[in-house]
Amino acid sequence: MGYLALGIRCLIGAVFLASAVSKVGGRGAFGRFVSSVRELRLVPPRSAAPVALCVVAAEAAVCLLLAAPGPGAVAVAGFAVAGVLLGGFAAAITLSVRRGVRTPCRCFGASTRPLGLRHVVRNLALTAAASAGAAAVLVSGAVRPDAPGGVVVAVTGGLLLGGLVVTLDDILDLFRPVGPAPGLARGR
């Protein structure tokens, strides 16, 4: 179970690191994130910037808590914060989509795809992973470095899954129908 906990720490940590960095890295990134928070219409417009700042700070805290060595309680706290954030994100997206809001997902940068069911499902799956990670830490405690191969597999697997989650919108867009080719549309 120790390797499972380590792998999930890497998965959740990678997702939150990519999320936090994409919201503040680059010219205008934070402004675009604030705009998307405002467009969700869940908080008063003047509260969008402070809420966005709190989200980025909480995401960074998750990364630090999951990366910190030491007692398992620190990792459990990281998983708990991640679970609360992910559950909140899923609820906010669900409410906004039900209201007909079509704001783009700024979860991992400058995506133009509007928030939708796939984002809710992704966040709920990550919430389940965070819960499993916390349970694995509580059951097994810290990973012992006596089997470096196991550590490498757990870290690599977690980081790869994290990368897959971060790029999931882009991957799904590759398989989205775009319509007929221009020449085919006129019967040529």
Side-chain angles (χ1 to χ4, degrees), residues 90-105:
I93 293 166
T94 300
L95 185 57
S96 293
V97 169
R98 283 189 177 188
R99 290 180 174 175
V101 174
R102 302 292 293 165
T103 190
C105 174

mmCIF file with all atom_site columns, all heavy atoms in Angstrom, residues 90-105:
data_model
loop_
_atom_site.group_PDB
_atom_site.id
_atom_site.type_symbol
_atom_site.label_atom_id
_atom_site.label_alt_id
_atom_site.label_comp_id
_atom_site.label_asym_id
_atom_site.label_entity_id
_atom_site.label_seq_id
_atom_site.pdbx_PDB_ins_code
_atom_site.Cartn_x
_atom_site.Cartn_y
_atom_site.Cartn_z
_atom_site.occupancy
_atom_site.B_iso_or_equiv
_atom_site.pdbx_formal_charge
_atom_site.auth_seq_id
_atom_site.auth_comp_id
_atom_site.auth_asym_id
_atom_site.auth_atom_id
_atom_site.pdbx_PDB_model_num
ATOM 1   N N   . ALA A 1 90  ? -16.081 20.418 -8.768  1.00 0.00 ? 90  ALA A N   1
ATOM 2   C CA  . ALA A 1 90  ? -17.135 19.634 -9.419  1.00 0.00 ? 90  ALA A CA  1
ATOM 3   C C   . ALA A 1 90  ? -18.503 20.272 -9.175  1.00 0.00 ? 90  ALA A C   1
ATOM 4   O O   . ALA A 1 90  ? -19.317 20.384 -10.104 1.00 0.00 ? 90  ALA A O   1
ATOM 5   C CB  . ALA A 1 90  ? -17.113 18.187 -8.917  1.00 0.00 ? 90  ALA A CB  1
ATOM 6   N N   . ALA A 1 91  ? -18.754 20.700 -7.944  1.00 0.00 ? 91  ALA A N   1
ATOM 7   C CA  . ALA A 1 91  ? -20.037 21.330 -7.619  1.00 0.00 ? 91  ALA A CA  1
ATOM 8   C C   . ALA A 1 91  ? -20.200 22.657 -8.367  1.00 0.00 ? 91  ALA A C   1
ATOM 9   O O   . ALA A 1 91  ? -21.275 22.944 -8.912  1.00 0.00 ? 91  ALA A O   1
ATOM 10  C CB  . ALA A 1 91  ? -20.149 21.545 -6.110  1.00 0.00 ? 91  ALA A CB  1
ATOM 11  N N   . ALA A 1 92  ? -19.135 23.462 -8.405  1.00 0.00 ? 92  ALA A N   1
ATOM 12  C CA  . ALA A 1 92  ? -19.205 24.758 -9.089  1.00 0.00 ? 92  ALA A CA  1
ATOM 13  C C   . ALA A 1 92  ? -19.442 24.584 -10.586 1.00 0.00 ? 92  ALA A C   1
ATOM 14  O O   . ALA A 1 92  ? -20.246 25.309 -11.190 1.00 0.00 ? 92  ALA A O   1
ATOM 15  C CB  . ALA A 1 92  ? -17.909 25.543 -8.850  1.00 0.00 ? 92  ALA A CB  1
ATOM 16  N N   . ILE A 1 93  ? -18.761 23.623 -11.183 1.00 0.00 ? 93  ILE A N   1
ATOM 17  C CA  . ILE A 1 93  ? -18.942 23.374 -12.621 1.00 0.00 ? 93  ILE A CA  1
ATOM 18  C C   . ILE A 1 93  ? -20.363 22.890 -12.889 1.00 0.00 ? 93  ILE A C   1
ATOM 19  O O   . ILE A 1 93  ? -21.021 23.353 -13.821 1.00 0.00 ? 93  ILE A O   1
ATOM 20  C CB  . ILE A 1 93  ? -17.898 22.364 -13.136 1.00 0.00 ? 93  ILE A CB  1
ATOM 21  C CG1 . ILE A 1 93  ? -16.494 22.974 -13.060 1.00 0.00 ? 93  ILE A CG1 1
ATOM 22  C CG2 . ILE A 1 93  ? -18.216 21.937 -14.572 1.00 0.00 ? 93  ILE A CG2 1
ATOM 23  C CD1 . ILE A 1 93  ? -15.375 21.951 -13.234 1.00 0.00 ? 93  ILE A CD1 1
ATOM 24  N N   . THR A 1 94  ? -20.849 21.970 -12.066 1.00 0.00 ? 94  THR A N   1
ATOM 25  C CA  . THR A 1 94  ? -22.205 21.451 -12.243 1.00 0.00 ? 94  THR A CA  1
ATOM 26  C C   . THR A 1 94  ? -23.234 22.576 -12.163 1.00 0.00 ? 94  THR A C   1
ATOM 27  O O   . THR A 1 94  ? -24.117 22.688 -13.021 1.00 0.00 ? 94  THR A O   1
ATOM 28  C CB  . THR A 1 94  ? -22.519 20.374 -11.179 1.00 0.00 ? 94  THR A CB  1
ATOM 29  O OG1 . THR A 1 94  ? -21.583 19.306 -11.316 1.00 0.00 ? 94  THR A OG1 1
ATOM 30  C CG2 . THR A 1 94  ? -23.928 19.844 -11.330 1.00 0.00 ? 94  THR A CG2 1
ATOM 31  N N   . LEU A 1 95  ? -23.121 23.408 -11.156 1.00 0.00 ? 95  LEU A N   1
ATOM 32  C CA  . LEU A 1 95  ? -24.058 24.517 -10.982 1.00 0.00 ? 95  LEU A CA  1
ATOM 33  C C   . LEU A 1 95  ? -23.993 25.487 -12.160 1.00 0.00 ? 95  LEU A C   1
ATOM 34  O O   . LEU A 1 95  ? -25.021 25.911 -12.689 1.00 0.00 ? 95  LEU A O   1
ATOM 35  C CB  . LEU A 1 95  ? -23.764 25.246 -9.671  1.00 0.00 ? 95  LEU A CB  1
ATOM 36  C CG  . LEU A 1 95  ? -24.707 26.367 -9.266  1.00 0.00 ? 95  LEU A CG  1
ATOM 37  C CD1 . LEU A 1 95  ? -26.142 25.865 -9.164  1.00 0.00 ? 95  LEU A CD1 1
ATOM 38  C CD2 . LEU A 1 95  ? -24.257 26.946 -7.938  1.00 0.00 ? 95  LEU A CD2 1
ATOM 39  N N   . SER A 1 96  ? -22.803 25.822 -12.595 1.00 0.00 ? 96  SER A N   1
ATOM 40  C CA  . SER A 1 96  ? -22.643 26.756 -13.704 1.00 0.00 ? 96  SER A CA  1
ATOM 41  C C   . SER A 1 96  ? -23.190 26.190 -15.007 1.00 0.00 ? 96  SER A C   1
ATOM 42  O O   . SER A 1 96  ? -23.874 26.887 -15.763 1.00 0.00 ? 96  SER A O   1
ATOM 43  C CB  . SER A 1 96  ? -21.169 27.124 -13.886 1.00 0.00 ? 96  SER A CB  1
ATOM 44  O OG  . SER A 1 96  ? -20.736 27.863 -12.774 1.00 0.00 ? 96  SER A OG  1
ATOM 45  N N   . VAL A 1 97  ? -22.904 24.928 -15.280 1.00 0.00 ? 97  VAL A N   1
ATOM 46  C CA  . VAL A 1 97  ? -23.391 24.308 -16.510 1.00 0.00 ? 97  VAL A CA  1
ATOM 47  C C   . VAL A 1 97  ? -24.924 24.235 -16.491 1.00 0.00 ? 97  VAL A C   1
ATOM 48  O O   . VAL A 1 97  ? -25.574 24.507 -17.503 1.00 0.00 ? 97  VAL A O   1
ATOM 49  C CB  . VAL A 1 97  ? -22.757 22.908 -16.714 1.00 0.00 ? 97  VAL A CB  1
ATOM 50  C CG1 . VAL A 1 97  ? -23.439 22.143 -17.822 1.00 0.00 ? 97  VAL A CG1 1
ATOM 51  C CG2 . VAL A 1 97  ? -21.270 23.057 -17.000 1.00 0.00 ? 97  VAL A CG2 1
ATOM 52  N N   . ARG A 1 98  ? -25.493 23.924 -15.353 1.00 0.00 ? 98  ARG A N   1
ATOM 53  C CA  . ARG A 1 98  ? -26.962 23.878 -15.246 1.00 0.00 ? 98  ARG A CA  1
ATOM 54  C C   . ARG A 1 98  ? -27.584 25.254 -15.477 1.00 0.00 ? 98  ARG A C   1
ATOM 55  O O   . ARG A 1 98  ? -28.714 25.345 -15.927 1.00 0.00 ? 98  ARG A O   1
ATOM 56  C CB  . ARG A 1 98  ? -27.381 23.347 -13.889 1.00 0.00 ? 98  ARG A CB  1
ATOM 57  C CG  . ARG A 1 98  ? -27.230 21.862 -13.790 1.00 0.00 ? 98  ARG A CG  1
ATOM 58  C CD  . ARG A 1 98  ? -27.850 21.339 -12.541 1.00 0.00 ? 98  ARG A CD  1
ATOM 59  N NE  . ARG A 1 98  ? -27.748 19.897 -12.530 1.00 0.00 ? 98  ARG A NE  1
ATOM 60  C CZ  . ARG A 1 98  ? -28.329 19.141 -11.639 1.00 0.00 ? 98  ARG A CZ  1
ATOM 61  N NH1 . ARG A 1 98  ? -29.053 19.687 -10.690 1.00 0.00 ? 98  ARG A NH1 1
ATOM 62  N NH2 . ARG A 1 98  ? -28.188 17.843 -11.695 1.00 0.00 ? 98  ARG A NH2 1
ATOM 63  N N   . ARG A 1 99  ? -26.842 26.294 -15.163 1.00 0.00 ? 99  ARG A N   1
ATOM 64  C CA  . ARG A 1 99  ? -27.321 27.658 -15.397 1.00 0.00 ? 99  ARG A CA  1
ATOM 65  C C   . ARG A 1 99  ? -27.103 28.100 -16.837 1.00 0.00 ? 99  ARG A C   1
ATOM 66  O O   . ARG A 1 99  ? -27.455 29.210 -17.201 1.00 0.00 ? 99  ARG A O   1
ATOM 67  C CB  . ARG A 1 99  ? -26.599 28.634 -14.475 1.00 0.00 ? 99  ARG A CB  1
ATOM 68  C CG  . ARG A 1 99  ? -26.969 28.507 -13.033 1.00 0.00 ? 99  ARG A CG  1
ATOM 69  C CD  . ARG A 1 99  ? -26.200 29.523 -12.236 1.00 0.00 ? 99  ARG A CD  1
ATOM 70  N NE  . ARG A 1 99  ? -26.608 29.540 -10.851 1.00 0.00 ? 99  ARG A NE  1
ATOM 71  C CZ  . ARG A 1 99  ? -26.023 30.267 -9.942  1.00 0.00 ? 99  ARG A CZ  1
ATOM 72  N NH1 . ARG A 1 99  ? -25.011 31.066 -10.256 1.00 0.00 ? 99  ARG A NH1 1
ATOM 73  N NH2 . ARG A 1 99  ? -26.446 30.241 -8.687  1.00 0.00 ? 99  ARG A NH2 1
ATOM 74  N N   . GLY A 1 100 ? -26.462 27.263 -17.640 1.00 0.00 ? 100 GLY A N   1
ATOM 75  C CA  . GLY A 1 100 ? -26.230 27.599 -19.040 1.00 0.00 ? 100 GLY A CA  1
ATOM 76  C C   . GLY A 1 100 ? -24.951 28.378 -19.292 1.00 0.00 ? 100 GLY A C   1
ATOM 77  O O   . GLY A 1 100 ? -24.730 28.885 -20.386 1.00 0.00 ? 100 GLY A O   1
ATOM 78  N N   . VAL A 1 101 ? -24.080 28.464 -18.305 1.00 0.00 ? 101 VAL A N   1
ATOM 79  C CA  . VAL A 1 101 ? -22.813 29.180 -18.466 1.00 0.00 ? 101 VAL A CA  1
ATOM 80  C C   . VAL A 1 101 ? -21.884 28.336 -19.334 1.00 0.00 ? 101 VAL A C   1
ATOM 81  O O   . VAL A 1 101 ? -21.722 27.140 -19.112 1.00 0.00 ? 101 VAL A O   1
ATOM 82  C CB  . VAL A 1 101 ? -22.166 29.464 -17.088 1.00 0.00 ? 101 VAL A CB  1
ATOM 83  C CG1 . VAL A 1 101 ? -20.785 30.071 -17.247 1.00 0.00 ? 101 VAL A CG1 1
ATOM 84  C CG2 . VAL A 1 101 ? -23.061 30.364 -16.258 1.00 0.00 ? 101 VAL A CG2 1
ATOM 85  N N   . ARG A 1 102 ? -21.265 28.947 -20.316 1.00 0.00 ? 102 ARG A N   1
ATOM 86  C CA  . ARG A 1 102 ? -20.381 28.242 -21.245 1.00 0.00 ? 102 ARG A CA  1
ATOM 87  C C   . ARG A 1 102 ? -18.960 28.810 -21.200 1.00 0.00 ? 102 ARG A C   1
ATOM 88  O O   . ARG A 1 102 ? -18.318 28.960 -22.219 1.00 0.00 ? 102 ARG A O   1
ATOM 89  C CB  . ARG A 1 102 ? -20.933 28.340 -22.669 1.00 0.00 ? 102 ARG A CB  1
ATOM 90  C CG  . ARG A 1 102 ? -22.337 27.779 -22.855 1.00 0.00 ? 102 ARG A CG  1
ATOM 91  C CD  . ARG A 1 102 ? -22.398 26.298 -22.698 1.00 0.00 ? 102 ARG A CD  1
ATOM 92  N NE  . ARG A 1 102 ? -21.673 25.663 -23.787 1.00 0.00 ? 102 ARG A NE  1
ATOM 93  C CZ  . ARG A 1 102 ? -21.305 24.399 -23.779 1.00 0.00 ? 102 ARG A CZ  1
ATOM 94  N NH1 . ARG A 1 102 ? -21.587 23.634 -22.767 1.00 0.00 ? 102 ARG A NH1 1
ATOM 95  N NH2 . ARG A 1 102 ? -20.650 23.900 -24.790 1.00 0.00 ? 102 ARG A NH2 1
ATOM 96  N N   . THR A 1 103 ? -18.474 29.133 -20.020 1.00 0.00 ? 103 THR A N   1
ATOM 97  C CA  . THR A 1 103 ? -17.129 29.685 -19.889 1.00 0.00 ? 103 THR A CA  1
ATOM 98  C C   . THR A 1 103 ? -16.084 28.602 -20.169 1.00 0.00 ? 103 THR A C   1
ATOM 99  O O   . THR A 1 103 ? -16.322 27.431 -19.878 1.00 0.00 ? 103 THR A O   1
ATOM 100 C CB  . THR A 1 103 ? -16.922 30.307 -18.489 1.00 0.00 ? 103 THR A CB  1
ATOM 101 O OG1 . THR A 1 103 ? -15.704 31.031 -18.468 1.00 0.00 ? 103 THR A OG1 1
ATOM 102 C CG2 . THR A 1 103 ? -16.897 29.260 -17.402 1.00 0.00 ? 103 THR A CG2 1
ATOM 103 N N   . PRO A 1 104 ? -14.948 28.982 -20.745 1.00 0.00 ? 104 PRO A N   1
ATOM 104 C CA  . PRO A 1 104 ? -13.918 27.974 -21.021 1.00 0.00 ? 104 PRO A CA  1
ATOM 105 C C   . PRO A 1 104 ? -13.277 27.440 -19.743 1.00 0.00 ? 104 PRO A C   1
ATOM 106 O O   . PRO A 1 104 ? -13.224 28.131 -18.730 1.00 0.00 ? 104 PRO A O   1
ATOM 107 C CB  . PRO A 1 104 ? -12.880 28.719 -21.864 1.00 0.00 ? 104 PRO A CB  1
ATOM 108 C CG  . PRO A 1 104 ? -13.290 30.129 -21.909 1.00 0.00 ? 104 PRO A CG  1
ATOM 109 C CD  . PRO A 1 104 ? -14.596 30.291 -21.243 1.00 0.00 ? 104 PRO A CD  1
ATOM 110 N N   . CYS A 1 105 ? -12.803 26.231 -19.835 1.00 0.00 ? 105 CYS A N   1
ATOM 111 C CA  . CYS A 1 105 ? -12.085 25.613 -18.725 1.00 0.00 ? 105 CYS A CA  1
ATOM 112 C C   . CYS A 1 105 ? -10.696 26.245 -18.641 1.00 0.00 ? 105 CYS A C   1
ATOM 113 O O   . CYS A 1 105 ? -9.925  26.186 -19.593 1.00 0.00 ? 105 CYS A O   1
ATOM 114 C CB  . CYS A 1 105 ? -11.956 24.111 -18.965 1.00 0.00 ? 105 CYS A CB  1
ATOM 115 S SG  . CYS A 1 105 ? -10.937 23.274 -17.738 1.00 0.00 ? 105 CYS A SG  1
#
